[in-house]
Amino acid sequence: MKNRTVEILAPAGSYESMVAAVNAGADAVYIGGSRFGARAYANNLDEETMVKAINFMHLHGCRIYMTVNTLVKEKEMSDLYSYLKPYYEAGLDAVLVQDMGALTYIRKHFPDLPVHISTQMTVTGKYSARDLKALGAVRVVPARELSLKEIREIYDDTGLEVETFVHGALCYCYSGQCLFSSLIGGRSGNRGRCAQTCRLPFDAEQNGKYVNKKNEKYILSLKDLCTLDLIPDILEAGVCSLKIEGRMKSPRYTAGVVSIYRKYVDLYLKEGRAGYHVEKADRDDLLALFDRGGQSQGYYHTHNGRDMVVLKEKPEYRDVDQELFDYLDRTYVNVEKKIPVTGSAYIAVGKPGYCSVSDTAGKTAGEESQPAEEAKNAPMDAERIRKQLSKTGDSMFTFTDLTVECEGNVFMPVQALNKMRREVLEKLQDEILSGYRRNSSVPPTKEEERAPEKADLEERPEFTVFVQTKQQFEMVLGKFKMYRKLSERSYGIYLAAESFDAQEWKKLADRCHEAGVRCYLMMPRIFRKEAEQYFRKQMELLTSAGFDALGIGSMEEPGFLREAGIELPMYFDQGMYSWNHLAGAAMERYGADRLTIPVELNEREIRDSGVQGEMIVYGYLPMMISAQCIRKTTLGCSGKPEVMWLKDRKDMRFPVVNQCRFCYNTIYNSAPLSLLGLSEQVTGLKPNAVRLNFTVEEPAAAGEILDAFFEEYGMGEKAAEPPVLRNQFTRGHFKRGVE
């Protein structure tokens, strides 16, 4: 471990925070430019300042990573080359990405730029990490919910660099799987504009009764992460980069947190476990810097738990540790860390002066001045010349050692000495930075940047329904039998893997096939050890069930299924994002036989993207997929799937389903998406299939909805809104989209 490189990675929401991070001992920072970053409201840098920041970090021997970790719309993809080119040429050390199109684009057009996989891509295990490495990624930031054992498996299996969060805010939702802020107010977390809806108060209901205490309404707000005590465990799990959250926080916060983690990383690297001990004063200082309602050790040793949740409202007033703040400002924030150099100078009468300088890495530069004159009165001695040359002023350098040799009674104008010093230090700066600069980008052609025309379908779109319960299945299958007599087209039913037992798969698939209906199994949205063990145990039943295809909800599943020898077609669900034609093509190479059109794009953006696939036209959209459990937080774990409700300050009620088989929660929107009445616009987008998602609907209500959609989408007749939907639905983002 002592020979392993360990990186403290600091947030830089501004240039000032970056400087404070370096002063406090960070090895690297992650920072956003003017576009494409997952913190749109941070003080992100323009092009000139970003290039300056890249140079600053490299002069200090540190690394700088840029966030390009939002989903990218088709119209934006053509800007990506000109946006990244100056940073690439300046020597940017890496980019973080979420969008699969951006990943493949950057690998092609910026071949020497390392790509890190953002936590926004929801990497939950070795299978997705393995596949992403094959696409050119060198580092992965896995989901924050992973255990140390799961992280170790990624590292052991792939050899990828692994970066994990060690301090700061925790999202309630798996990053990249949250649409809460998006669906409520159009501010999408996938676009860096999260409104932090989870930090607001909610009540939890079951069977019409509140199950949370009156003073415990912050049930979606997680305590901040603090892992000082876990640093040995985290590093020994294969993590190379310890990431601190906080691009929206102040330079003082950044400096304070970095300095404390620097102290303990160095302690562990020097003393190992035997000499590792965390002082209470340092824990207290971290709380003084920011306290949302306590801290937790996150998910490294626990899957979820009530003790990770804030629950109670934060007091409006708390004591401020002004002494600590003043110390941080004085020591790290309001100072400029100089770069140490050594130098030598030679001044002789009648000869040009000469000065050479070297940094600690061995980079060297030299510069001559005008010839020295014979002194008419008092000659300059070596000490006087040394003092003048040592005045580095606004330069980033400072001399730790400077030797001067004089020959004769020399005189050199002060302006000439200053000019020589300034120019030799500029040469050294250029010499240092030249080792980072690149000129190897590959400009895209116009053909590459143009989305392909959508193909005309040979037959009408398939009519599919996702079902969560057996009662819904019986209703849908019965309806489909009738519909087939009225409209010759393909019909398909997706069974939710969370709720349909493996022993039933073949029987239900056979019944579908007997009725002329296709049968699909929708895999879980989160695929971790619980899911892997379940499907390994049920592998024989899976291969013999006779499914026509598998719905894919997680980046993990294609790799797992390939390794298991499953050769069924894979239909990627909407959480497998394809916002642009390059992402669509990348997902097809990843294994998709059919895509699902993203729910956050509007009609025009869907058309522009060139992405063709299945389109969800009805359903309660999942707003959060969480490792946390509302049932466990409020009433304790029952181990049984149940439906609960969250109620917000505006009395909107959101259904919550705990998916116990795979141990995650899904929070759905308060109103279902309904594109009834918009069939012309939908079919104009040439989808392969239109899908209704049934989750918490009672069978009778679901039947009314299904009939209405079949009448319009299946028969081409304008359908009346069924009573169950009147004034209780949303068009989602089909009209408005997201910023």
Side-chain angles (χ1 to χ4, degrees):
M1 175 54 66
K2 289 185 178 180
N3 297 323
R4 267 257 317 274
T5 300
V6 176
E7 175 182 87
I8 294 179
L9 178 58
S14 65
Y15 192 92
E16 292 74 20
S17 285
M18 177 194 71
V19 172
V22 171
N23 289 344
D27 301 294
V29 301
Y30 61 104
I31 193 166
S34 58
R35 302 181 65 188
F36 302 111
R39 287 291 182 272
Y41 302 116
N43 188 16
N44 297 312
L45 309 189
D46 60 22
E47 182 178 311
E48 181 182 351
T49 313
M50 179 63 78
V51 172
K52 179 183 173 185
I54 293 169
N55 292 339
F56 175 90
M57 294 299 289
H58 289 159
L59 289 169
H60 283 281
C62 298
R63 294 171 293 281
I64 180 167
Y65 310 138
M66 186 171 168
T67 56
V68 188
N69 57 340
T70 58
L71 297 177
V72 183
K73 296 181 182 181
E74 185 67 36
K75 66 180 181 181
E76 299 166 332
M77 191 58 79
S78 60
D79 298 334
L80 198 52
Y81 179 79
S82 59
Y83 176 73
L84 286 177
K85 187 173 185 284
Y87 311 138
Y88 177 76
E89 292 176 346
L92 181 67
D93 292 287
V95 289
L96 288 95
V97 301
Q98 175 188 13
D99 189 281
M100 287 287 283
L103 168 59
T104 56
Y105 185 95
I106 290 167
R107 294 305 306 129
K108 181 173 183 179
H109 298 293
F110 301 99
D112 298 325
L113 181 59
V115 173
H116 298 175
I117 300 301
S118 170
T119 192
Q120 285 285 120
M121 207 181 276
T122 326
V123 171
T124 56
K126 64 183 180 183
Y127 300 106
S128 54
R130 197 186 287 169
D131 286 343
L132 291 164
K133 180 181 180 181
L135 292 174
V138 299
R139 179 183 292 190
V140 63
V141 189
R144 296 176 228 212
E145 290 79 2
L146 297 198
S147 67
L148 289 168
K149 184 178 179 181
E150 289 169 306
I151 292 167
R152 181 80 217 188
E153 188 174 55
I154 291 174
Y155 174 71
D156 287 344
D157 185 87
T158 67
L160 281 169
E161 295 177 9
V162 179
E163 172 187 312
T164 66
F165 285 90
V166 295
H167 195 89
L170 283 173
C171 295
Y172 192 84
C173 183
Y174 281 92
S175 292
Q177 303 302 318
C178 184
L179 301 180
F180 211 146
S181 169
S182 172
L183 290 171
I184 288 178
R187 286 175 53 176
S188 172
N190 284 320
R191 299 282 289 170
R193 290 170 167 81
C194 174
Q196 299 196 35
T197 312
C198 54
R199 302 300 182 187
L200 298 174
F202 292 87
D203 281 308
E205 297 179 6
Q206 189 173 46
N207 300 322
K209 296 180 180 179
Y210 291 144
V211 294
N212 60 305
K213 296 177 182 177
K214 287 184 179 180
N215 65 342
E216 293 184 349
K217 291 180 179 287
Y218 292 86
I219 49 183
L220 299 184
S221 182
L222 295 188
K223 297 175 183 176
D224 277 12
L225 176 66
C226 178
T227 63
L228 285 184
D229 294 286
L230 300 183
I231 284 175
D233 295 339
I234 293 169
L235 294 178
E236 289 170 18
V239 174
C240 72
S241 180
L242 305 179
K243 187 171 194 173
I244 296 163
E245 183 277 338
R247 278 197 288 145
M248 299 294 287
K249 297 188 176 77
S250 68
R252 177 191 293 158
Y253 170 88
T254 302
V257 177
V258 168
S259 65
I260 292 173
Y261 276 83
R262 176 82 274 162
K263 170 182 174 180
Y264 286 102
V265 167
D266 290 347
L267 176 65
Y268 173 70
L269 293 177
K270 181 181 178 183
E271 304 289 345
R273 280 186 177 272
Y276 193 81
H277 172 72
V278 178
E279 297 172 18
K280 182 179 182 299
D282 290 319
R283 289 196 192 91
D284 292 344
D285 283 352
L286 289 173
L287 273 172
L289 285 167
F290 191 84
D291 181 9
R292 181 174 269 116
Q295 295 174 331
S296 80
Q297 293 184 345
Y299 295 95
Y300 287 109
H301 284 303
T302 182
H303 188 91
N304 56 31
R306 176 183 167 86
D307 59 350
M308 294 175 64
V309 187
V310 171
L311 292 175
K312 296 183 180 180
E313 187 168 10
K314 179 180 170 182
E316 289 187 17
Y317 173 82
R318 64 187 180 92
D319 292 333
V320 172
D321 190 340
Q322 195 60 49
E323 186 178 344
L324 171 65
F325 293 175
D326 290 344
Y327 166 78
L328 294 172
D329 289 346
R330 185 173 64 250
T331 311
Y332 303 119
V333 178
N334 298 326
V335 296
E336 184 177 357
K337 185 179 180 182
K338 297 282 189 176
I339 300 163
V341 294
T342 58
S344 63
Y346 175 74
I347 309 291
V349 174
K351 297 180 181 179
Y354 182 77
C355 182
S356 68
V357 292
S358 301
D359 70 357
T360 55
K363 296 287 186 181
T364 302
E367 178 66 23
E368 289 187 344
S369 72
Q370 66 189 53
E373 303 171 19
E374 181 84 34
K376 294 178 179 178
N377 296 309
M380 288 180 164
D381 60 13
E383 180 58 21
R384 182 180 171 190
I385 293 173
R386 191 191 67 78
K387 283 184 178 179
Q388 190 61 41
L389 289 175
S390 296
K391 294 177 180 178
T392 54
D394 293 335
S395 162
M396 294 178 67
F397 299 97
T398 185
F399 283 104
T400 57
D401 183 57
L402 175 61
T403 60
V404 177
E405 183 182 350
C406 293
E407 282 188 14
N409 295 323
V410 299
F411 171 77
M412 179 81 73
V414 169
Q415 295 93 327
L417 290 173
N418 290 345
K419 182 174 183 288
M420 181 170 65
R421 179 194 62 236
R422 183 175 65 252
E423 291 181 353
V424 75
L425 291 178
E426 286 175 355
K427 278 189 174 181
L428 178 63
Q429 178 168 316
D430 286 342
E431 177 65 20
I432 295 170
L433 295 177
S434 66
Y436 294 95
R437 292 178 179 139
R438 313 181 183 95
N439 189 24
S440 57
S441 63
V442 181
T445 64
K446 289 184 178 179
E447 288 71 25
E448 286 178 281
E449 296 193 329
R450 192 179 298 120
E453 290 290 326
K454 293 191 177 186
D456 287 320
L457 300 176
E458 294 182 5
E459 54 185 38
R460 286 182 292 177
E462 184 179 2
F463 199 82
T464 67
V465 178
F466 167 87
V467 294
Q468 190 84 52
T469 69
K470 293 176 187 176
Q471 294 84 356
Q472 291 169 352
F473 171 83
E474 296 294 346
M475 181 276 299
V476 173
L477 185 60
K479 295 280 187 185
F480 276 1
K481 288 177 181 177
M482 292 189 293
Y483 298 165
R484 289 189 70 245
K485 298 174 183 177
L486 300 171
S487 176
E488 290 187 8
R489 64 189 311 142
S490 297
Y491 298 86
I493 298 178
Y494 286 92
L495 307 179
E498 297 92 344
S499 48
F500 286 89
D501 294 337
Q503 289 73 21
E504 301 177 297
W505 290 345
K506 180 170 174 50
K507 180 179 70 174
L508 297 177
D510 286 347
R511 288 182 59 197
C512 286
H513 294 152
E514 289 165 8
V517 174
R518 295 172 182 172
C519 189
Y520 313 126
L521 181 70
M522 182 66 80
M523 302 281 282
R525 284 289 296 273
I526 299 298
F527 193 93
R528 291 175 60 188
K529 282 301 161 194
E530 297 86 357
E532 181 175 355
Q533 290 166 5
Y534 177 81
F535 283 101
R536 285 200 183 283
K537 186 177 179 182
Q538 311 299 344
M539 194 56 65
E540 188 175 331
L541 295 175
L542 182 61
T543 55
S544 63
F547 289 122
D548 296 281
L550 296 175
I552 302 298
S554 160
M555 295 292 286
E556 275 293 281
E557 289 159 2
F560 168 77
L561 293 167
R562 280 197 307 272
E563 187 179 276
I566 302 297
E567 297 181 354
L568 288 170
M570 291 189 281
Y571 293 174
F572 283 21
D573 199 10
Q574 60 89 14
M576 307 283 284
Y577 299 117
S578 301
W579 278 40
N580 54 74
H581 79 279
L582 293 178
M587 283 300 192
E588 287 172 358
R589 290 192 294 273
Y590 203 81
D593 294 282
R594 180 191 286 176
L595 302 171
T596 298
I597 293 169
V599 299
E600 288 189 281
L601 297 184
N602 64 32
E603 180 186 357
R604 180 174 181 177
E605 290 164 343
I606 294 169
R607 182 176 291 107
D608 291 346
S609 74
V611 173
Q612 209 157 2
E614 190 158 353
M615 187 154 182
I616 299 170
V617 295
Y618 170 83
Y620 286 93
L621 294 178
M623 298 203 305
M624 275 190 168
I625 315 291
S626 177
Q628 291 293 330
C629 178
I630 302 294
R631 176 63 164 80
K632 185 174 181 179
T633 298
T634 55
L635 295 171
C637 178
S638 66
K640 298 176 183 178
E642 300 174 35
V643 178
M644 299 181 70
W645 300 83
L646 286 178
K647 190 173 80 170
D648 70 6
R649 299 171 302 167
K650 298 179 180 178
D651 289 333
M652 303 294 287
R653 298 174 76 247
F654 305 90
V656 184
V657 179
N658 47 319
Q659 323 281 17
C660 295
R661 178 167 289 158
F662 306 119
C663 204
Y664 62 84
N665 259 209
T666 304
I667 302 173
Y668 294 96
N669 199 4
S670 59
L673 168 75
S674 174
L675 301 185
L676 197 65
L678 301 178
S679 56
E680 270 187 43
Q681 294 95 311
V682 170
T683 54
L685 297 171
K686 302 178 182 178
N688 303 120
V690 292
R691 190 205 318 164
L692 286 74
N693 284 347
F694 291 136
T695 49
V696 297
E697 294 89 346
E698 291 297 326
E704 288 180 29
I705 294 165
L706 186 56
D707 282 340
F709 273 89
F710 175 73
E711 188 176 338
E712 181 172 329
Y713 283 80
M715 300 296 291
E717 300 171 7
K718 213 68 174 175
E721 206 77 60
V724 69
L725 278 184
R726 281 177 195 156
N727 303 317
Q728 296 182 21
F729 65 88
T730 173
R731 297 299 194 190
H733 289 297
F734 190 70
K735 293 294 185 185
R736 65 181 182 180
V738 294
E739 287 183 50

